[in-house]
């Protein structure tokens, strides 16, 4: 193996793959049977890059040669960059050697589209197949579904991969037309449907025959670029909601657009990455998946963008003050989850601790709640002096300023007497 | 007041707890013999001889009320090497005996229980970090070798994880702070306790021929997968605290 050449390829093809956000390695269910690797437990981040992102998988492109010219993509045909391609054996060797040293949980293999969709997909499947059948590799494998790939190839891919994903990239169809004129939405949706159908079939068969071969056990995910076109947040979370509900997506990722090229259809090359907006979208995503919020509770037509100043849950609470205060001792789990400053874990701890005693604000602090926000929305059995601010027109300001409550002012006046 | 001295083992600790009840001491504390200095001159000393049978009786009784996961939590407190570990575990056992029909480890409003929950969280986090941050280096004899220096004694907690994962390669993990390790030889996976500290000077000279090459490849991957426009040093250090860097291949040059 020519080491210098491999190193150069790795540098080119890792650099081109880095814009894919997903690095999740959870949900795999493969146990080790005397071979290499085990993905039956939860995912592991083996390191973090300097931008603070988790590195769990070896994330590379098979090749960055591409027949498409999607304007937002570095690997687009018209871009003048160094091109490279790995052989199947090279990818397999890198994956195995990195895995044995505990650098990674597995492989995330994507690719530029060379020649046509099926040729590309077939090559991706061959890598996964070799790892599973020749090397008895039970680590995690995430393959990209190539838009337009045939149903048979998708079904075969799902036998070897733990997760499959197609990136929507542009949330709306009109945006896609503008920025990626050669691509169409339908080509992206078809592989998703095939995999979704297969997963359902697998679940049904599994009930009858225990030894049914695994079929993409970690499900599917997708990704949308935020801020390349002019969609509003309501459109974005509606799209996400649609894919969670109708395609059984495990995750939707949001990726703040990083300027890669000068083009009047795109934000200026000097534009900042919209990191805060991206963060608020993830918070909304969590609210939909773990906190029982519906998409149209988070945003509506009168308010199509997420509030950048406060998080979406606090924003909801401020718009629905009539639902508060919530009594910690008696309220149900669903409502406790809606209190700003209380997360899933704290809510569960509250439920178990309140069976033993009457909770006070001191307990809440120890249980891990963000009391500076939560205290305005909660009623305790023994009362709560902060509740008088609940009707205050300045509640939002009060919470933002954190500690500068009127309550404290009174206190400090007393202190000055001494 | 009676001070019970035990040998520092998990079974020793639970033998001591058994004997508190056996001898009906009303006012007792349990201390590790190794780091005990008598402060209270009026305390009576009770030397505990570890007896697995006694320890198991306590543990079996406990398991009925706090479950297997509860026992696991107490083991984590023990492995934390916290200065208060005896007092905390003793307190949990006393509470459990008083309320045998409840899982007292759920009562987070009690200070000792909350402390136990916090310690368990820290130990579990350290355990998880070891599964993530351990880096094996392939040696000439085809053994994949890793050295660790964890804040808590988590080696017993990661044995199964690595055994399940690397079944077809020989590997060894060595705890530099506590001078013992785990070795898997393709059949058995056992702890070993060398008489002297392993001498790790010049151990890089015993690397397998291919080792340096894969380390270099991993380092260049690590650099290239980073998005410079999104640099966030604070978040980076929060996830990978600097004290772990010395054992991370990708951080050798920083």
């Amino acid at each position: 193996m020519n080491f210098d050449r491999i190193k150069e390829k790795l540098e080119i093809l890792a650099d081109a793959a880095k814009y894919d956000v997903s690095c999740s390695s959870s949900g795999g269910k493969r146990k080790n049977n005397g071979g290499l690797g085990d993905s039956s437990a939860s995912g592991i981040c083996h390191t973090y890059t300097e931008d603070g992102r988790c590195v769990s998988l070896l994330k590379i492109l098979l090749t960055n040669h591409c027949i498409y010219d999607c304007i937002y993509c570095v690997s687009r045909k018209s871009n003048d960059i160094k091109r490279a391609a790995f052989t199947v054996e090279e990818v397999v060797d890198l994956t195995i050697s990195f895995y044995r040293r505990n650098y990674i949980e597995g492989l995330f293999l994507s690719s530029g589209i060379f020649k046509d969709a099926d040729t590309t997909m077939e090559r991706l499947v061959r890598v996964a197949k070799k790892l599973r059948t020749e090397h008895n590799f039970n680590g995690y494998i995430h393959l990209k579904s190539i838009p337009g790939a045939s149903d048979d190839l998708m079904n075969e891919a799902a036998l070897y991969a733990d997760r499959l994903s197609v990136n929507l990239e542009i949330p709306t169809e009109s945006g896609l037309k503008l920025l990626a004129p050669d691509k169409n939405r339908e080509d992206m949706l078809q592989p998703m449907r095939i995999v979704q159908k297969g997963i359902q079939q697998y679940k049904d068969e599994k009930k009858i025959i225990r030894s049914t071969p695994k079929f993409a056990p970690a499900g599917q995910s997708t990704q949308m670029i935020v801020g390349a076109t002019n969609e509003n947040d309501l459109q974005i979370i509606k799209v996400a909601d649609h894919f969670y509900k109708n395609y059984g997506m495990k995750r939707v990722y949001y990726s703040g657009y990083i300027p890669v090229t000068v083009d009047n259809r795109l934000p200026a090359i000097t534009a900042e990455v919209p990191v805060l907006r991206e963060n608020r979208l993830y918070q909304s995503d969590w609210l939909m998946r773990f906190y029982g919020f519906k998409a149209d509770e988070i945003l509506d037509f009168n308010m199509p963008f997420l509030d950048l100043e406060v998080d979406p849950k606090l924003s909801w609470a401020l718009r629905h003050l009539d639902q508060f205060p919530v009594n910690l001792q008696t309220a149900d789990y669903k409502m406790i989850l809606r209190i700003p400053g209380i997360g899933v874990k704290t809510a569960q701890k509250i439920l178990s601790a309140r069976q033993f005693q009457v909770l006070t604000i001191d307990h809440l602090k120890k249980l891990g709640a963000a009391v500076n926000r939560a205290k305005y929305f909660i009623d305790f059995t023994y009362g709560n002096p902060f509740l008088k601010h609940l009707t205050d027109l300045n509640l939002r300001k009060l919470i933002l300023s954190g500690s500068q409550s009127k309550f404290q002012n009174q206190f400090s006046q007393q202190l000055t007497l001494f | 007041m009676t001070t019970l001295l035990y040998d520092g083992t998990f079974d020793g600790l639970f033998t001591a707890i058994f004997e508190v009840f056996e001898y009906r001491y009303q006012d007792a504390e349990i201390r590790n013999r190794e780091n005990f200095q008598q402060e209270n001159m009026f305390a009576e000393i009770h030397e505990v001889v570890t007896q697995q049978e006694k320890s198991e009786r306590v543990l079996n009784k406990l398991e009925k009320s706090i479950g297997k996961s509860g026992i696991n939590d107490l083991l984590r407190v023990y492995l934390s090497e916290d200065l208060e570990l005896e007092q905390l575990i003793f307190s949990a056992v006393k509470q459990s005996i008083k309320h045998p029909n409840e899982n007292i480890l759920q009562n987070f409003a009690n200070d000792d229980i909350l402390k136990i929950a916090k310690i368990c969280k820290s130990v579990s986090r350290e355990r998880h970090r070891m599964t993530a941050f351990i880096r094996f280096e392939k040696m000439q004899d085809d053994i994949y070798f890793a050295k660790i220096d964890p804040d808590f004694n988590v080696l017993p907690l990661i044995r199964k994880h690595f055994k399940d994962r690397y079944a077809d390669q020989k590997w060894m993990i060595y705890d530099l702070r506590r001078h013992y390790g785990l070795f898997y030889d393709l059949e058995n996976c056992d702890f070993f306790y060398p008489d002297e500290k392993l001498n790790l000077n010049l151990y890089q000279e015993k690397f397998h021929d291919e080792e340096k090459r894969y380390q270099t490849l991993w380092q260049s991957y690590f650099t290239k997968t980073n998005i410079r426009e999104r640099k966030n040093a604070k978040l980076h250090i929060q996830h990978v605290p600097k004290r772990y860097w010395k054992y991370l291949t990708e951080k050798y040059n920083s």
Side-chain angles (χ1 to χ4, degrees):
Chain A
M1 199 164 71
N2 183 340
F3 170 71
D4 290 325
R5 181 67 191 130
I6 295 278
K7 182 162 175 283
E8 194 188 2
K9 283 188 193 179
L10 180 63
E11 282 170 354
I12 294 170
L13 296 169
D15 193 68
K18 70 185 177 190
Y19 299 100
D20 231 304
V21 183
S22 169
C23 204
S24 151
S25 56
S26 58
K29 295 200 172 67
R30 271 164 237 274
K31 284 216 161 116
N32 198 356
N33 46 359
L36 174 65
D38 184 297
S39 56
S40 61
S42 56
I44 298 175
C45 296
H46 282 275
T47 188
Y48 290 81
T49 46
E50 284 176 4
D51 55 24
R53 294 185 309 155
C54 152
V55 180
S56 175
L57 305 171
L58 170 63
K59 193 191 302 179
I60 46 175
L61 299 189
L62 190 59
T63 175
N64 63 343
H65 288 284
C66 194
I67 55 172
Y68 286 123
D69 205 35
C70 310
I71 195 74
Y72 50 80
C73 177
V74 262
S75 303
R76 68 185 177 281
K77 184 172 59 179
S78 61
N79 204 12
D80 182 22
I81 49 163
K82 268 194 185 168
R83 307 275 169 175
F86 275 127
T87 64
V88 171
E89 286 72 23
E90 284 165 349
V91 177
V92 168
D93 178 71
L94 276 176
T95 308
I96 298 269
S97 305
F98 281 5
Y99 195 92
R100 288 197 183 284
R101 288 166 174 79
N102 206 37
Y103 298 163
I104 53 171
E105 284 298 288
L107 173 69
F108 179 171
L109 189 61
S110 177
S111 184
I113 294 157
F114 56 96
K115 229 173 122 193
D116 56 55
D118 271 353
T119 319
T120 313
M121 194 69 221
E122 188 271 332
R123 201 68 63 85
L124 297 186
V125 173
R126 218 193 300 165
V127 172
K129 185 176 180 182
K130 203 175 170 79
L131 279 167
R132 295 280 190 235
T133 55
E134 287 175 36
H135 295 269
N136 196 359
F137 178 71
N138 304 294
Y140 193 89
I141 301 181
H142 179 161
L143 291 186
K144 200 97 283 183
S145 311
I146 303 297
S150 72
D151 297 357
D152 287 348
L153 270 173
M154 288 317 302
N155 278 321
E156 195 186 354
L159 289 179
Y160 303 116
D162 293 295
R163 170 167 285 183
L164 288 157
S165 66
V166 188
N167 287 354
L168 289 172
E169 300 299 11
I170 307 299
T172 57
E173 220 162 337
S174 56
L176 189 69
K177 234 173 220 134
L178 183 72
L179 300 184
D182 324 324
K183 276 191 183 163
N184 76 65
R185 196 69 174 255
E186 185 47 35
D187 281 352
M188 299 180 177
L189 298 182
Q190 180 58 15
M192 284 189 200
R193 280 192 213 111
I194 288 298
V195 175
Q196 189 198 13
K197 211 172 103 193
I199 291 175
Q200 191 52 49
Q201 222 167 358
Y202 164 77
K203 272 189 192 147
D204 297 342
E205 279 170 30
K206 181 91 182 159
K207 282 180 205 150
I208 308 162
I209 313 163
R210 281 205 67 187
S211 61
T212 309
K214 291 192 167 49
F215 194 93
Q220 302 195 79
S221 64
T222 188
Q223 169 175 322
M224 286 186 270
I225 299 177
V226 175
T229 41
N230 53 6
E231 293 85 11
N232 61 39
D233 294 339
L234 177 62
Q235 280 172 302
I236 294 174
I237 65 170
K238 281 276 191 188
V239 172
D241 192 42
H242 171 73
F243 279 91
Y244 281 129
K245 282 194 184 128
N246 302 322
Y247 287 81
M249 284 287 148
K250 277 272 156 57
R251 281 292 299 273
V252 174
Y253 293 92
Y254 311 90
S255 155
Y257 174 70
I258 298 158
V260 287
T261 189
V262 182
D263 189 292
N264 56 16
R265 286 168 286 177
L266 285 171
I269 193 101
T270 50
E272 293 263 330
V273 184
V275 203
L276 183 55
R277 184 176 173 203
E278 182 190 295
N279 178 248
R280 293 280 181 246
L281 281 167
Y282 275 114
Q283 289 175 323
S284 314
D285 192 272
W286 252 249
L287 290 186
M288 294 196 287
R289 292 191 297 138
F290 303 115
Y291 290 77
F293 279 82
K294 296 205 179 80
D296 42 23
E297 282 184 293
I298 300 169
L299 288 174
D300 52 48
F301 289 111
N302 301 321
M303 194 188 143
F305 281 98
L306 290 162
D307 194 333
L308 292 184
E309 210 174 37
V310 300
D311 68 80
K313 194 164 129 187
L314 179 55
S315 167
W316 177 85
L318 289 171
R319 282 178 284 132
H320 296 86
L321 292 176
D322 56 306
Q323 309 256 2
F324 297 96
V326 172
N327 188 318
L328 267 203
Q329 211 65 33
T330 56
D332 63 359
Y333 178 65
K334 246 174 81 187
M335 204 52 218
I336 291 180
L337 272 183
R338 294 202 167 210
I339 303 169
I342 291 184
V344 173
K345 286 207 175 126
T346 307
Q348 285 164 352
K349 276 193 186 149
I350 288 171
L351 286 196
S352 68
R354 73 182 183 186
Q355 296 171 6
F356 291 89
Q357 54 209 348
V358 174
L359 298 177
T360 67
I361 196 162
D362 289 331
H363 290 132
L364 199 59
K365 209 170 277 177
K366 286 186 193 160
L367 292 175
V371 176
N372 59 347
R373 264 172 291 154
K375 65 186 175 190
Y376 298 105
F377 300 94
I378 294 176
D379 204 1
F380 296 100
T381 308
Y382 297 129
N384 174 8
F386 292 101
L387 275 185
K388 67 176 179 205
H389 299 294
L390 190 58
T391 48
D392 197 323
L393 289 173
N394 290 323
L395 180 57
R396 181 189 169 99
K397 248 193 198 149
L398 199 64
I399 296 174
L400 281 174
S401 62
S403 52
Q404 282 182 349
S405 69
K406 283 180 194 164
F407 204 63
Q408 244 178 2
N409 280 339
Q410 283 169 4
F411 190 57
S412 58
Q413 265 172 10
Q414 276 184 351
L415 274 183
T416 52
L417 291 174
F418 296 95
Chain B
M1 167 127 142
T2 311
T3 302
L4 292 92
L5 295 183
Y6 78 110
D7 59 0
T9 63
F10 191 63
D11 279 332
L13 176 57
F14 280 88
T15 310
I17 291 174
F18 183 91
E19 293 188 353
V20 171
F21 293 99
E22 188 183 17
Y23 292 89
R24 297 175 197 226
Y25 292 132
Q26 290 308 310
D27 181 19
E29 62 162 0
I30 301 170
R31 302 281 290 271
N32 186 338
R33 192 173 293 131
E34 216 159 275
N35 48 31
F36 174 71
Q37 283 169 330
Q38 188 152 16
E39 296 139 9
N40 181 350
M41 56 186 291
F42 298 107
E44 218 172 290
I45 303 290
H46 172 116
E47 296 279 350
V48 176
V49 180
T50 302
Q51 292 169 51
Q52 206 173 345
E53 188 202 342
K54 286 183 176 178
S55 148
E56 270 169 16
R57 274 178 64 184
V58 182
L59 289 168
N60 288 339
K61 178 94 200 281
L62 267 179
E63 199 181 312
K64 282 182 192 131
S65 26
I66 62 173
K68 265 212 171 68
S69 83
I71 303 288
N72 240 319
D73 284 353
L74 297 186
L75 175 65
R76 272 160 211 249
V77 174
Y78 167 75
L79 293 174
S80 75
E81 301 169 341
D82 191 283
L83 289 174
E84 289 182 78
L85 78 95
E86 291 89 359
Q87 186 268 323
L88 288 173
I89 292 175
F90 187 31
S91 158
V93 176
K94 278 190 288 193
Q95 292 185 49
S96 182
I97 285 171
K98 210 166 151 195
H99 306 280
N101 298 321
E102 289 167 22
N103 182 354
I104 46 91
L105 291 180
Q106 306 266 308
N107 182 13
F108 300 109
N110 175 285
D111 277 347
D112 283 344
I113 299 300
L114 193 68
K115 229 180 240 169
I116 287 177
K118 287 214 165 113
I119 290 176
C120 284
K121 198 173 162 191
S122 307
V123 173
S124 300
R125 188 194 292 133
E126 188 73 354
R127 177 205 170 270
H128 183 80
R129 278 181 173 150
M130 285 307 123
T131 63
F133 294 158
I134 276 181
R135 294 288 178 264
F136 287 109
E137 303 181 286
K138 192 176 182 182
M139 310 305 283
Q140 281 162 0
D141 50 10
D142 285 345
I143 292 175
Y144 287 81
F145 177 72
K147 37 197 189 344
I148 59 171
D149 180 19
D151 291 347
F152 312 114
N153 185 13
V154 293
L155 201 50
L157 299 175
I158 57 176
R159 178 175 170 273
K160 186 176 179 318
H161 172 88
F162 284 101
K163 192 170 159 271
D164 287 346
R165 174 163 293 221
Y166 299 114
D168 68 347
Q169 71 190 51
K170 289 183 195 167
W171 54 264
M172 186 185 277
I173 302 172
Y174 182 66
D175 184 332
L176 294 166
R177 197 182 297 187
R178 295 166 190 85
H179 312 305
Y180 79 114
L182 254 179
F183 178 51
Y184 173 72
D185 63 0
L186 297 180
E187 277 175 32
N188 300 306
C189 184
D190 296 314
F191 293 103
F192 65 93
Y193 306 86
D195 296 333
E196 284 172 50
K197 288 184 193 178
L198 288 196
N199 181 7
L200 294 172
N201 294 333
L202 304 176
Y203 90 108
Q204 297 201 351
E205 287 176 10
K206 292 180 197 151
F207 274 170
H208 194 280
D209 289 344
E210 65 176 36
E211 182 53 31
K212 282 275 183 207
R213 288 207 298 267
Y214 284 111
Q215 291 194 6
T216 311
L217 287 175
W218 175 242
Q219 285 154 358
S220 33
Y221 173 73
F222 180 73
T223 319
K224 283 295 169 182
T225 199
N226 174 46
I227 299 179
R228 277 209 311 273
E229 291 89 335
R230 299 182 61 116
K231 188 175 164 84
N232 189 343
K234 204 180 137 202
L235 188 61
H236 173 64
I237 288 175
Q238 185 186 322
H239 283 310
V240 195
K242 281 193 171 161
R243 65 179 183 281
Y244 299 99
W245 287 15
K246 54 190 167 188
Y247 303 115
L248 292 175
T249 316
E250 63 273 20
K251 282 292 186 187
Y252 282 171
N253 302 325
S254 35

